[in-house]
Amino acid sequence: MQFVQTSIIPQKTDQEFAVQKPIAIWLFVCCALVFAMVVVGGVTRLTDSGLSIVEWQPLVGTVPPLTQNDWDELFEKYHQTPQYKKINLGMSLEEFKTIFWWEYFHRLLGRVIGLAFFMPFLYFLAKKAVDRPLGLKLSGIFLLGALQGGMGWYMVKSGLVDNPHVSQYRLTAHLGLAFAIYAAMFWVALDLLNPGRGLSTNSGLRSLLNFSTTLSALIFIMVLSGGFVAGIRAGLAYNTFPLMDGHFIPPELFMLEPWYRNFFDNMTTVQFDHRLIAWTLAILVPIFWLKSRAAPLSGSARLACTLLLIMLAVQITLGISTLLLVVPLTLAAAHQAGALLLFTAALWVNHELRRQ
């Protein structure tokens, strides 16, 4: 094996590692909360609960309705929405409470994540455990979190005007931003836990790293395509596999004008694209895994590569099952959770390969 160039990352002292380990654990806890947020958000969407609260009240809205008058007032506001008038006309108060609680807990969890991030951040700053580079990273993550709160309300607003469904563009942006926040926290936590090792520029390892980076980007694109599938309910059509109602390339692929609208508004094209990305990953990830077996990797790097392969198999199985059974709530929520777990595995692979 020939190494073209080797640079050494300075080793952290035991004292530095002891200080940064609690910060890494805190970030992993925040990642777990974001994971729960993604799952609850998926259930909220699948149960059409997201439009049950028609106001954005970051502070006042923390307190749920406590009296019958509170419920009557909220229900009357919901009566004015397109969703009630066009879809849920005649809904009882008890039925309204079911969708209300899903949206309420979704928003409440968002507030909990904000506090779980901000308060420890202030504590670590006060203890001078955060240097300037880390402080800038954490500040950036906090700003992304604030942006996500605004993006959530911007998404909900799109379903309160004329259309009883939220915009698929805003839904996808909301989902993508959640994954970006999760990725930033997860990556910083991994950096803090890793004490630093030699970073090789061996051509074989560099090629493998480029391969894994491409796979990570492709998985993120698949997540975004899944947002469009959810946004226009494309999963309720073409509930056959591997063909789409007898076609590998369905004839309705470009039925909308102008042509580019099909990639965002056409149920056929949106689902076809999602399937195509899944097929691509089903081919590339096993190839990547085989290449990783021949590379001089550490035990943790090999484990990460194998986990990526396993998670892809699980996720594809969940996706096919969700499609064939016409999007049952439990499977659909598991499929959304699986997307984040698959993305997590890809991030871990990338981090391990950068440290070989």
Side-chain angles (χ1 to χ4, degrees):
M1 185 188 309
Q2 181 179 2
F3 286 83
V4 180
Q5 177 185 355
T6 301
S7 60
I8 302 300
I9 300 174
Q11 297 286 327
K12 294 179 183 178
T13 65
D14 290 342
Q15 183 178 4
E16 288 174 328
F17 187 67
V19 170
Q20 293 185 349
K21 185 177 180 180
I23 300 177
I25 294 173
W26 157 58
L27 289 174
F28 281 134
V29 171
C30 289
C31 284
L33 289 173
V34 172
F35 176 83
M37 184 74 163
V38 169
V39 175
V40 172
V43 175
T44 301
R45 172 185 53 78
L46 290 162
T47 55
D48 290 323
S49 303
L51 300 177
S52 59
I53 302 178
V54 301
E55 295 175 322
W56 190 35
Q57 300 172 313
L59 298 178
V60 179
T62 305
V63 181
L66 302 174
T67 67
Q68 185 61 40
N69 284 338
D70 291 339
W71 281 113
D72 290 341
E73 182 179 345
L74 286 172
F75 197 29
E76 180 58 33
K77 291 178 180 178
Y78 180 66
H79 281 177
Q80 311 308 313
T81 66
Q83 186 182 64
Y84 177 80
K85 295 176 180 178
K86 298 181 180 181
I87 298 177
N88 291 332
L89 189 64
M91 169 183 274
S92 68
L93 179 59
E94 291 305 312
E95 291 171 325
F96 170 72
K97 288 181 179 181
T98 300
I99 63 173
F100 171 87
W101 285 120
W102 275 116
E103 175 64 6
Y104 173 78
F105 283 122
H106 184 55
R107 296 192 185 195
L108 182 64
L109 188 53
R111 295 180 175 98
V112 169
I113 293 172
L115 288 175
F117 188 91
F118 185 62
M119 299 307 293
F121 184 29
L122 291 181
Y123 170 79
F124 287 123
L125 284 175
K127 298 289 287 185
K128 300 187 186 303
V130 178
D131 57 20
R132 180 178 176 80
L134 179 59
L136 290 175
K137 294 175 185 177
L138 296 176
S139 298
I141 293 172
F142 180 75
L143 290 176
L144 285 177
L147 177 62
Q148 177 71 327
M151 178 60 71
W153 174 242
Y154 182 60
M155 175 189 69
V156 169
K157 280 180 62 178
S158 66
L160 298 176
V161 185
D162 299 313
N163 191 338
H165 303 292
V166 299
S167 162
Q168 68 268 32
Y169 299 96
R170 300 184 191 185
L171 172 66
T172 301
H174 190 50
L175 179 64
L177 190 52
F179 272 65
I181 293 169
Y182 178 94
M185 293 192 298
F186 187 72
W187 192 270
V188 171
L190 288 178
D191 272 345
L192 292 173
L193 283 183
N194 195 307
R197 288 172 283 185
L199 181 60
S200 168
T201 56
N202 170 269
S203 59
L205 291 177
R206 180 62 60 184
S207 175
L208 197 62
L209 174 59
N210 291 338
F211 198 167
S212 72
T213 302
T214 301
L215 290 177
S216 299
L218 194 57
I219 290 170
F220 185 70
I221 292 172
M222 186 172 70
V223 168
L224 298 182
S225 76
F228 281 102
V229 170
I232 64 174
R233 290 162 172 74
L236 299 176
Y238 301 98
N239 300 106
T240 58
F241 187 86
L243 301 180
M244 298 176 68
D245 287 352
H247 301 278
F248 179 73
I249 301 179
E252 304 88 353
L253 213 55
F254 287 99
M255 62 185 297
L256 299 182
E257 293 291 344
W259 63 269
Y260 56 81
R261 282 190 55 211
N262 290 281
F263 293 98
F264 312 107
D265 300 324
N266 185 339
M267 295 175 70
T268 304
T269 312
V270 168
Q271 190 188 125
F272 177 81
D273 290 343
H274 195 59
R275 289 185 183 219
L276 188 61
I277 298 172
W279 278 114
T280 303
L281 286 170
I283 295 170
L284 293 181
V285 171
I287 293 175
F288 170 80
W289 180 80
L290 289 173
K291 286 181 174 292
S292 74
R293 303 307 294 176
L297 302 181
S298 64
S300 58
R302 291 190 184 281
L303 177 61
C305 293
T306 299
L307 182 62
L308 176 63
L309 180 66
I310 293 172
M311 273 312 308
L312 178 69
V314 171
Q315 180 66 350
I316 288 178
T317 301
L318 285 172
I320 294 172
S321 301
T322 301
L323 183 70
L324 294 179
L325 296 174
V326 197
V327 197
L329 176 62
T330 303
L331 274 178
H335 186 50
Q336 183 154 318
L340 188 49
L341 291 176
L342 177 62
F343 189 53
T344 302
L347 291 172
W348 187 28
V349 168
N350 272 273
H351 195 272
E352 285 295 325
L353 291 180
R354 290 176 189 276
R355 293 293 177 177
Q356 296 305 301

